[in-house]
Amino acid sequence: MDQTDSTGEIVEKPSLTEEQATRLAERLYGFKVETLRPLDSYDDLNFHVIVDGDNSSPHGYTLKVTNGTDSQHEDVFEAQNQMMTFLADKGLPVPQAVPNLLGDVMSLENLRRSDNGGCSENLVRLLTYLPGTVYHNVPMTLALAYEAGVFLAKVQEALKDFSHPALHRPNYTWSLAGVASLEKYTHCLHDDRAKEIITKIVQTFAKKVLPRMDELPQGVVHGDFNDVNVLVEEEPTDPGKYRICGLLDFGDAIFNPYVFDLAIAMMYVMSAVRDPIVFGGHFLAGFESVRPLTPAEWDVLYYCVVARASQSYVLGRYTASIHPQNTEYLMVTAGSVWKFIDMWWQTPKEEIYKQWRDIQKSVGTQSD
C-alpha cells in the first residue's frame, strides 16, 4: 500500500531506532532478541526479528508498528489477523499473528512520531516471518505468471467462506470503486496529456464498470497482490526456476468484486515486463484454470486493469510530491506504470482479449 491512509491523506511514520524496537519487542513478547533489522515499508515500521533459542518460528518474526492514523482502526487489523488465520487453516502460506505476554495479538503503544518528536498511539503486532524472496527480485517468466494466477484464484476461492464487517470499506482510497477520487490529485501531474488520459480513464470506468457492480461476484479479497507482497522460492530440483511460497501484507484487504483483485494483480505483473499483454494472458490463464470468469467479469476486466494503473500512477506521484525524500521508494510502481497506461489505452480491448484467448487455448493444449 502506498503512503496514504484510507481517506487519501498523507500519514506520518512512527519513529523507532533499532535499539528502541528491540526493547519494545522484548517488553511485549518476553523473549531475548538475537538480531533485528529494518524492512522496507511505506507508512509503517517493520523489522525482521530473530529470537535467541526460539524454535517455534525458525525464520523469525516481523515486528509491525503501524502509523498513528491507521492505528485508530483496530477493527480493520482484527479482521486482517482473522483473515490470515483463516487462510493458514486452509493450508495457504501466510503470516500468523503471535500473542504477546498478555495473550493479545496486538496492542496500542504510545510512541514518538518522526515529524516533530510528538507522540501517537501505534498498534504493534508480531507476525511469523515467511522465508523466500519477493518476486520483484527474480526474473518474471511466463510459467511464474501462470502460477501466480493459479495462486491468486486459490486465495479467492478460500476466502469465499470468510467475512468480517470491518472489511466493508466503501470510502477506502485504494478500492477500485473509488477511482473517481483521483480527480482530487491530478494537480500533481505536470503533463497535460497524462491528465487528459487519466481523466478519460476515470470517466470510462464510471460508465462501463460502476453501473455493473451488482453483476460482479464479490467477497473479501487481498487487494494488493503485487510484486513485493508475493514470495517465491527456487525450485530445489530446477535451479533458476521459481515457485510461489507466500503472500504478505493484508493491509488492503477489503470486500470488493473479485475481478478488482484480479485486475490489481495483473496490472502489477504487466507493468513490469516488456510484453505485458502476453504475461497478462498467462496470468489470466492460470487464474481461470481454477476459477473461470463470468461474462460480466470478462467484460469489465480491461477497464479495471487500467483504472488500477491510474490509481497507482496518480497517488504515487501525489505522495512523492508531499514526501520528496521518499520519492525513489514511493515511485517503484508509479515510475514505470505510465508507459503501461499509455500502451494499454491505445490498444483496443478486442485486440487484447483476442491475444488472451489465443494464449489460453495454447496453454490448454500444452497441458492436455
Side-chain angles (χ1 to χ4, degrees), residues 1-6 9-14 41-45 65-68 70 122 329-330:
M1 188 178 86
D2 297 77
Q3 200 168 349
T4 51
D5 72 356
S6 60
E9 297 302 316
I10 300 298
V11 298
E12 187 69 35
K13 279 190 177 186
S41 68
Y42 284 101
D43 45 15
D44 304 318
L45 286 179
V65 183
T66 303
N67 68 80
D70 290 338
N122 301 92
Y329 183 61
L330 292 167

Side-chain angles (χ1 to χ4, degrees), residues 210-221:
L210 294 183
R212 307 189 67 180
M213 290 284 282
D214 290 343
E215 298 177 55
L216 305 174
Q218 302 187 32
V220 172
V221 298

Side-chain angles (χ1 to χ4, degrees), residues 51-124:
V51 175
D52 187 29
D54 181 10
N55 297 319
S56 59
S57 183
H59 301 286
Y61 304 91
T62 301
L63 179 69
K64 297 183 71 70
V65 183
T66 303
N67 68 80
T69 303
D70 290 338
S71 292
Q72 298 172 32
H73 307 288
E74 289 187 58
D75 57 341
V76 174
F77 291 93
E78 175 188 286
Q80 292 174 28
N81 292 337
Q82 291 181 15
M83 185 175 172
M84 289 186 289
T85 299
F86 184 88
L87 287 173
D89 289 343
K90 296 271 189 176
L92 290 161
V94 297
Q96 293 293 280
V98 178
N100 58 28
L101 289 174
L102 298 178
D104 300 321
V105 293
M106 55 187 180
S107 63
L108 271 177
E109 304 296 325
N110 199 35
L111 303 174
R112 289 193 180 279
R113 297 198 307 266
S114 60
D115 53 355
N116 57 13
C119 292
S120 64
E121 288 193 317
N122 301 92
L123 272 174
V124 177

Side-chain angles (χ1 to χ4, degrees), residues 83 167-170 172 175 219-223 252-256:
M83 185 175 172
L167 297 181
H168 290 260
R169 307 161 77 180
Y172 187 57
S175 167
V220 172
V221 298
H222 178 269
D252 285 354
I254 191 171
F255 185 94
N256 242 349

Side-chain angles (χ1 to χ4, degrees), residues 327-348:
T327 295
E328 182 177 356
Y329 183 61
L330 292 167
M331 297 298 287
V332 165
T333 300
S336 64
V337 79
W338 173 251
K339 183 179 179 181
F340 171 76
I341 293 172
D342 200 14
M343 177 280 298
W344 189 268
W345 199 237
Q346 294 186 65
T347 307

Side-chain angles (χ1 to χ4, degrees), residues 1 35 101 192 210 216 274 281 297 307 326 338 362:
M1 188 178 86
T35 63
L101 289 174
D192 289 340
L210 294 183
L216 305 174
R274 289 187 176 181
E297 289 176 315
N326 292 333
W338 173 251
S362 173

